[in-house]
Every structure is written in C-alpha cells, then in structure tokens.
Amino acid sequence: MKGHNRDVSSPLKKYYAVMLVGLALFIGIMTYYSIEFKNKRDLAKQQVDLNKDSVGVNNGATEGTTEATTTEATEAETEKTTETMSQNTVSYDGKTKLAWPLTGNVLMPYSVDSTIYFESLDQYRVNKGIMIEAKEGMAVKAPKSAKVEEIRKTEEFGQTVLLDLGDGYTALYGQLKDLAVKEGDSVTKNQILGKVAAPTDCFTLEGANVYLQMEKDKKTINPTSYLE
C-alpha cells in the first residue's frame, strides 16, 4: 500500500510543478505586456502634446504670415493712393517754358493796356489772349502736364478747353473741334486736346486760328511770355 501511494503522488507533484511554472510564466508575460502597454500609452500621450505644441506654432506662423500679408497689402494700397494723388496733382513754377499749341504766326497779340482793331467785329477792344494762325483740322496740343478743368462752348471762341496748369495758372484754348479729352482728364505735354475748327462768326475775316488765354490767380497774363 505504501508503495502504491508513492506512485500516485509522484505524478501529482509533477502536475503541480508544471502548473506553478505555467502560472509563473503567465504572470511574467502579463507583467511584460502591462509595462509595454504603459510605455506605449505614455509615448502616445507625449506625441499628442507635441502635436498640440506644433499646432500652436503653426497657428502663430499663420498669424504672422497673415499679419505680414495684410501689412504688405496696406502699404501697396497706400503707395497706389499716393501715386494716384501725385498723378492728379499738377504744379507749375511760372518759369518753365510751355509748348505752343501748334506752329503758327500770332494774328492778334495780347493787349490789355490798350485796344487793338478786330476786323471781323469792326471795333477796337482789348485782347486778353493771343490768336495763333492755323489751318482747320490741325492738331492742338497741351502745353505741359495739366488737368482738364472745364469744357464749354461760347459764341465768341466756339469749343473751349480750360486747363489747370497748377499753382493758380490756367490756360484756355478756343476755336476747337473733335475734342480728344474730357473734363477731369489728366494730360501730358504735347498731348492732343482736339483739332482746329472753322472760325466763329466773330473771327471769320481773321481766318482759322487757335485762341489761347492764360491766367494767374484769375488775372490775365501774356501767354507769349511763357511759351517756348
């Protein structure tokens, strides 16, 4: 009997030993995976934090880029406005010579201190401008950079164009047709304003001409003193 009991307990001991070894392995494996899981979780958390920081940095960069773009746009708009204002502003020192509207002889000179004879009108009167001999259809040019202040038609001088030369100086051109400009336009030196028209009834005997009258601060001045 005693021998039989030893034979039975020997397999049980082996069984328990195997179970203990298996349990130890199981616990070891679970511990290993638990540690690995914890490490991966911490790593993932660090990556999330890094992504948050990166997003903040990117947003800052985007804000900086947006701010820079807005500043550049504002500066460009300011430069454009300044350039436009510069183009719309004219000046004249009264010393720089002006271009003639066309090539021709002076038929009727400037005369405000004494009267001169107007053949078509058959009367003596002052002349606030000059009449330049021309042929109908000839181009009439601007004297310098200027702005078209007014366009009107009168019985005496026909179609007229008033130019603002700047600093109180103006130039009025009369006896025109086929105008190439309109009120508010900016013109450059020698730019065509229009063409010579047939003379009005007031100057039929004088023939085709361009009338040029200049003023400084609303007072007439002699155009020939300023022309080239």
Side-chain angles (χ1 to χ4, degrees), residues 149 162-166 168-172 213-216 221:
E149 185 173 306
L162 178 64
L163 297 181
D164 177 12
L165 307 182
Y169 288 90
T170 61
L172 176 71
Q213 178 180 318
M214 288 186 61
E215 291 185 353
K216 165 61 174 171
I221 53 178

Side-chain angles (χ1 to χ4, degrees), residues 189-210:
K189 185 176 182 179
N190 289 323
Q191 181 175 333
I192 295 176
L193 304 175
K195 297 179 180 179
V196 178
T200 62
D201 293 340
C202 296
F203 303 103
T204 53
L205 295 180
E206 284 80 5
N209 68 88
V210 172

Side-chain angles (χ1 to χ4, degrees), residues 10-167:
S10 179
L12 288 173
K13 289 180 180 178
K14 291 180 180 180
Y15 173 76
Y16 289 131
V18 171
M19 289 295 290
L20 289 173
V21 172
L23 181 61
L25 289 174
F26 177 76
I27 292 173
I29 292 172
M30 290 300 294
T31 302
Y32 171 78
Y33 280 107
S34 177
I35 294 172
E36 283 294 311
F37 177 76
K38 183 176 182 301
N39 290 336
K40 289 181 179 180
R41 183 179 62 187
D42 292 341
L43 181 60
K45 185 177 180 181
Q46 292 175 2
Q47 290 177 344
V48 170
D49 291 338
L50 287 174
N51 288 336
K52 287 182 180 179
D53 293 339
S54 298
V55 170
V57 171
N58 290 335
N59 285 342
T62 303
E63 289 173 0
T65 302
T66 303
E67 182 178 353
T69 303
T70 303
T71 302
E72 290 175 0
T74 302
E75 291 176 352
E77 188 64 26
T78 302
E79 290 177 1
K80 184 177 179 180
T81 302
T82 302
E83 182 179 354
T84 301
M85 290 177 63
S86 177
Q87 291 176 348
N88 291 334
T89 302
V90 292
S91 61
Y92 181 52
D93 57 11
K95 299 178 181 178
T96 305
K97 294 299 183 179
L98 306 175
W100 284 75
L102 46 69
T103 301
N105 297 321
V106 176
L107 293 174
M108 302 287 288
Y110 173 82
S111 180
V112 293
D113 295 327
S114 61
T115 60
I116 57 177
Y117 181 68
F118 286 76
E119 187 176 3
S120 297
L121 297 174
D122 190 23
Q123 60 180 251
Y124 285 87
R125 54 185 291 188
V126 298
N127 189 22
K128 296 181 179 181
I130 61 174
M131 292 174 57
I132 306 170
E133 183 181 23
K135 291 182 179 180
E136 188 175 347
M138 289 179 66
V140 179
K141 302 176 182 179
K144 64 176 291 293
S145 297
K147 187 172 182 179
V148 180
E149 185 173 306
E150 182 182 58
I151 294 176
R152 58 181 300 192
K153 192 171 185 178
T154 69
E155 183 179 354
E156 186 174 5
F157 300 113
Q159 193 79 55
T160 64
V161 173
L162 178 64
L163 297 181
D164 177 12
L165 307 182
D167 299 290

